[in-house]
Amino acid sequence: QVQLVESGGRLVQAGGSLRLSCAASGRNFSRSAMGWFRQAPGDEREFVAAIAWNGGNAFYAHSVKGRFTISSDKAKNTVYLQMNSLKVEDAAVYYCAGDLHPRPTGWEADYWGQGTQVSVSS
């Protein structure tokens, strides 16, 4: 059974930093991409970042590029999202996603975590 377990979400002040973690189990993701999405209240879930497990290219949403960094640790089967210079508008539930696929309409994923709440105060 595939499990993606996120951690690290909490309340942080605007301008601060936070690192999210996603521990994957139950499947070998070594030939696929992992990533992060987020969903704020009243909004649709949106793509944040993706990375290939083989250490290849990373992809970012325009709104987070230059502030967020996605990385992976194969030995720990864990994906991270380092978030710097956080803004109030970054507040959302952040979801880890496995087996991401780029589509003409955007990124899609086959596996999802339960989400971790990130709150940003002004």
Side-chain angles (χ1 to χ4, degrees):
Q1 182 180 357
V2 175
Q3 277 196 315
L4 302 175
V5 180
E6 304 98 332
S7 61
R10 62 176 176 85
L11 173 64
V12 65
Q13 276 196 324
S17 297
L18 206 56
R19 189 177 82 156
L20 304 182
S21 301
C22 170
S25 62
R27 191 185 187 287
N28 185 345
F29 288 103
S30 63
R31 294 189 176 187
S32 66
M34 300 285 291
W36 294 89
F37 288 68
R38 68 185 182 187
Q39 186 170 21
D43 291 345
E44 292 187 355
R45 189 176 297 187
E46 64 174 1
F47 168 78
V48 175
I51 189 170
W53 269 115
N54 63 9
N57 292 336
F59 302 88
Y60 297 94
H62 178 74
S63 58
V64 306
K65 201 165 188 177
R67 299 187 298 121
F68 290 11
T69 302
I70 188 170
S71 61
S72 61
D73 185 331
K74 278 191 195 176
K76 296 182 178 179
N77 229 24
T78 299
V79 176
Y80 304 97
L81 185 68
Q82 177 67 42
M83 305 186 293
N84 298 329
S85 302
L86 280 162
K87 303 177 181 180
V88 172
E89 52 263 41
D90 292 319
V93 177
Y94 282 70
Y95 296 91
C96 180
D99 274 1
L100 268 69
H101 310 281
R103 302 289 187 223
T105 53
W107 290 87
E108 294 180 357
D110 293 339
Y111 301 98
W112 296 95
Q114 293 298 308
T116 184
Q117 177 71 51
V118 172
S119 301
V120 183
S121 62
S122 58

